[in-house]
Amino acid sequence: MKQIISVDIKTRKTDLAKCKTDVLVLGRFSDDKKREKSAQALDEKLGGAIARLVKLGDFNGKPGTSVVLYGDGAIAAQRVMVVGLGEQKKATLDTLRKAAASAARKAVSLKAKTLSLALHRAWGGKLDGAAMGRAMAEGAYFGSYQYDEFVTQGENGRPDALKVEIVDPEARAVKALDRGVCEGAVIGAAQSFARTIANRPANVINPPTLANTAREMVRGHKGLTCTIFDETQLKANKMGGILAVGAGSKSAPRLIILKYTPPRQPAKGSPKVALVGKAVTFDSGGISIKPSANMDQMKLDKTGGIAVLATMKAVAELALPVNVWGLVPSAENLPSATSYRPGDIVTTYSGKTVEVLNTDAEGRMILCDALAYAVKQKRDTVIDVATLTGAVMVALGQYKAGLMSNNDGLIKQLQAAAEDSGESVWHLPCGEEYADEMKSKIADLKNIGGRWGGACTAAAFLQQFVGETTWAHLDIAGMDIFQKATEYASPGSTGFGVRLLTTYLMNLSKKK
Ligand code: BES
Ligand code: ZN
Ligand code: ZN
């Protein structure tokens, strides 16, 4: 199997004109009047070629646009790429992250082996140096990623490795950038890891092989341990939800339990967190089978669980002083002679019984056991992440994940992490009315609600399993499935949730 492109990121102090590289990248706002001096000096060496492009209207600096010029010996770089940053007043750290991603994506398509980013210079020091370094590093990982492990006869080869550097002529700026680049490289690599595991098809990743992947990941990481509940242990623990969903597949279900021990004590009062992620390695719908069009995308129904694994990897590498577990229930949802059926009544780990009215509403069936387990293990804050409903895609499209919660403080913390990480969320309700729809006449709950508000009724179902524990639910169905290529992303899994959850935990660790 081919290796995914390997990325390596550093910072370097250099004069832009003297920067020897395959591609040197500058940023430009669409309403930029006075150009930043290092970019200006570089353009003078190029005989004013960039200014001419702008004057002719061939490059307008809109987001998502870019232009490539050739160094032709006038400067040390082979090429200069100018990336559009849009309007100055609208620009955020995510603008920078996306610009870095789009530059990296283009660099890979140009078969560049070295990429030097000076995008941050356009801000002229208005943003924090470390934050800019982190955003560019995350973006470089994100944009250079493409899933081609199984391509043996592609026509367009790509380099095996991309060496990225964040360059700046000032030593002080380099120092600040460098702090962020170190963090960004860890987070970016974790997100790429998530994308690769997620993009692997269901004939490669099933619950047992996913558990092996988790075991392997933990092996190289200090502070992480991994326990796997196989079918026997799931039965011994009466995890009826996970067992029911997994019953139709020859690959038996698993519960992956990752525990992190921080190298130094978390701050006093810092919560014991559990991240819970849905990992349905293939969701055919089961007996309530899905239509065949685009069913291939349902190999991505495991991305919530994988985001949790990758976040645990990042947490360990960043050595964050937080107390966190990762719980990943995993099953394959298939129709067969041994599948669970519509009408079945399942007794879940919590003791609550669930009438199954649709076997395609399987995510909540496996999550409810893991959530109840987290509560039983006395975790203070429980956050689940799942490609749970098509309904959340109807509500929010492919721009924001749904956020439901029983705690205003946690909502604020996750909204702040979303802002910082560029992985966007939108608060949706899950109160009593929705919970009422999930009541069954012949069991405690049923697994589907009425026709409307499906993302909210699904969340309300989950809420029944956390009691008074502080809890949030992230429905990421729109963010990681059915993704098309954009100027800064290749198609397939986006690894959504890795940056968001890692940022949430980093912010926790910064609090006094
Ligand atoms: N994994 C799906 C949700 C999904 C659908 C994600 C489309 C991404 C794109 C989930 O298990 C599911 O099938 N949900 C059903 C629930 C319904 C039966 C109440 C849905 O959304 O249709
Ligand atoms: Zn389903
Ligand atoms: Zn599903």
Side-chain angles (χ1 to χ4, degrees):
M1 225 159 42
K2 198 152 86 189
Q3 291 284 314
I4 295 296
I5 194 166
S6 110
V7 181
D8 154 273
I9 310 196
K10 293 195 177 63
T11 48
R12 182 157 72 102
K13 174 182 170 311
T14 174
D15 191 70
L16 297 191
K18 290 188 190 136
C19 179
K20 201 167 164 247
T21 180
D22 290 341
V23 189
L24 172 63
V25 186
L26 305 177
R28 195 182 165 103
F29 292 107
S30 55
D31 51 355
D32 208 346
K33 296 283 170 317
K34 215 178 94 231
R35 253 175 325 149
E36 178 275 315
K37 61 180 189 304
S38 60
Q40 182 73 36
L42 189 83
D43 196 24
E44 275 162 25
K45 292 235 159 66
L46 291 170
I50 300 176
R52 253 192 325 277
L53 274 168
V54 173
K55 198 160 171 219
L56 286 170
D58 296 1
F59 178 72
N60 56 21
K62 293 233 166 92
T65 63
S66 65
V67 62
V68 175
L69 299 91
Y70 295 89
D72 290 331
I75 57 171
Q78 291 284 343
R79 308 172 186 84
V80 174
M81 186 189 294
V82 190
V83 178
L85 301 173
E87 277 176 62
Q88 223 151 343
K89 66 171 190 303
K90 285 192 190 157
T92 62
L93 269 181
D94 202 46
T95 310
L96 181 59
R97 190 182 288 109
K98 288 203 170 92
S102 121
R105 184 155 162 75
K106 290 208 179 74
V108 172
S109 75
L110 291 168
K111 302 194 177 58
K113 293 199 169 87
T114 51
L115 173 68
S116 307
L117 303 174
L119 285 160
H120 61 285
R121 298 277 315 172
W123 271 264
K126 257 182 251 142
L127 296 177
D128 173 65
M132 290 198 292
R134 177 175 157 193
M136 281 187 281
E138 290 172 354
Y141 266 95
F142 194 84
S144 58
Y145 183 89
Q146 59 188 53
Y147 183 67
D148 52 13
E149 276 188 308
F150 286 95
V151 179
T152 66
Q153 295 178 335
E155 279 171 26
N156 296 311
R158 55 143 173 96
D160 296 332
L162 181 67
K163 278 195 176 308
V164 184
E165 50 179 21
I166 315 290
V167 294
D168 197 288
E170 292 165 37
R172 251 190 57 218
V174 171
K175 207 170 152 207
L177 288 162
D178 197 61
R179 266 183 291 134
V181 168
C182 294
E183 289 173 351
V186 167
I187 299 165
Q191 188 157 31
S192 294
F193 167 78
R195 293 171 84 179
T196 298
I197 308 303
N199 284 324
R200 286 185 183 156
N203 59 337
V204 176
I205 298 287
N206 52 46
T209 60
L210 183 64
N212 291 341
T213 306
R215 267 197 209 99
E216 225 167 85
M217 187 270 282
V218 160
R219 220 170 283 143
H221 288 81
K222 251 175 88 187
L224 279 185
T225 63
C226 173
T227 309
I228 311 285
F229 284 5
D230 63 11
E231 226 182 350
T232 315
Q233 283 137 323
L234 289 170
K235 278 184 186 145
N237 279 286
K238 300 194 174 145
M239 296 192 156
I242 301 175
L243 286 163
V245 176
S249 171
K250 279 207 169 152
S251 305
R254 296 285 187 269
L255 175 64
I256 303 167
I257 303 170
L258 300 179
K259 295 183 181 173
Y260 171 66
T261 314
R264 57 194 166 93
Q265 274 302 310
K268 247 212 174 128
S270 161
K272 288 187 282 179
V273 178
L275 306 176
V276 177
K278 168 181 174 181
V280 171
T281 57
F282 187 71
D283 182 12
S284 70
I287 299 290
S288 315
I289 199 162
K290 287 181 182 291
S292 53
N294 301 319
M295 203 203 269
D296 61 289
Q297 288 289 304
M298 288 301 142
K299 71 170 185 177
L300 295 167
D301 209 21
K302 58 188 183 295
T303 54
I306 292 168
V308 169
L309 295 182
T311 300
M312 296 300 286
K313 173 174 145 74
V315 165
E317 289 173 18
L318 295 166
L320 296 183
V322 291
N323 205 320
V324 58
W325 287 6
L327 302 176
V328 181
S330 181
E332 184 175 38
N333 190 19
L334 292 180
S336 81
T338 54
S339 299
Y340 80 137
R341 291 150 290 240
D344 285 2
I345 296 176
V346 173
T347 303
T348 63
Y349 177 72
S350 65
K352 286 192 162 75
T353 54
V354 180
E355 183 189 9
V356 177
L357 290 176
N358 189 319
T359 63
D360 197 9
E362 84 297 339
R364 59 199 79 180
M365 299 298 297
I366 67 170
L367 285 170
C368 71
D369 281 351
L371 289 171
Y373 183 76
V375 172
K376 181 101 188 282
Q377 295 290 317
K378 299 198 162 43
R379 306 313 288 176
D380 304 312
T381 299
V382 180
I383 302 172
D384 76 75
V385 47
T387 49
L388 202 65
T389 66
V392 84
M393 260 175 105
V394 174
L396 301 177
Q398 296 194 288
Y399 306 108
K400 288 174 195 301
L403 163 63
M404 293 81 159
S405 174
N406 60 5
N407 184 286
D408 290 340
L410 185 56
I411 292 171
K412 289 209 178 74
Q413 288 176 327
L414 287 167
Q415 284 171 332
E419 197 63 43
D420 294 346
S421 68
E423 292 190 328
S424 209
V425 301
W426 197 258
H427 181 208
L428 295 171
C430 65
E432 262 312 279
E433 311 95 305
Y434 300 101
D436 283 345
E437 283 196 36
M438 304 309 289
K439 287 189 181 139
S440 163
K441 293 215 161 49
I442 59 169
D444 300 330
L445 293 162
K446 50 187 185 178
N447 80 332
I448 57 169
R451 186 166 156 77
W452 312 111
C456 304
T457 50
F461 176 94
L462 296 178
Q463 192 177 352
Q464 305 312 304
F465 296 86
V466 297
E468 298 303 308
T469 304
T470 299
W471 158 83
H473 159 62
L474 294 160
D475 192 336
I476 63 167
M479 305 310 292
D480 225 341
I481 305 189
F482 299 125
Q483 298 298 317
K484 299 212 171 67
T486 64
E487 65 277 355
Y488 54 84
S490 57
S493 167
T494 58
F496 186 94
V498 179
R499 293 206 311 265
L500 175 65
L501 294 173
T502 307
T503 305
Y504 160 76
L505 293 167
M506 286 169 89
N507 290 352
L508 266 192
S509 74
K510 276 177 209 147
K511 269 217 224 142
K512 272 140 257 131

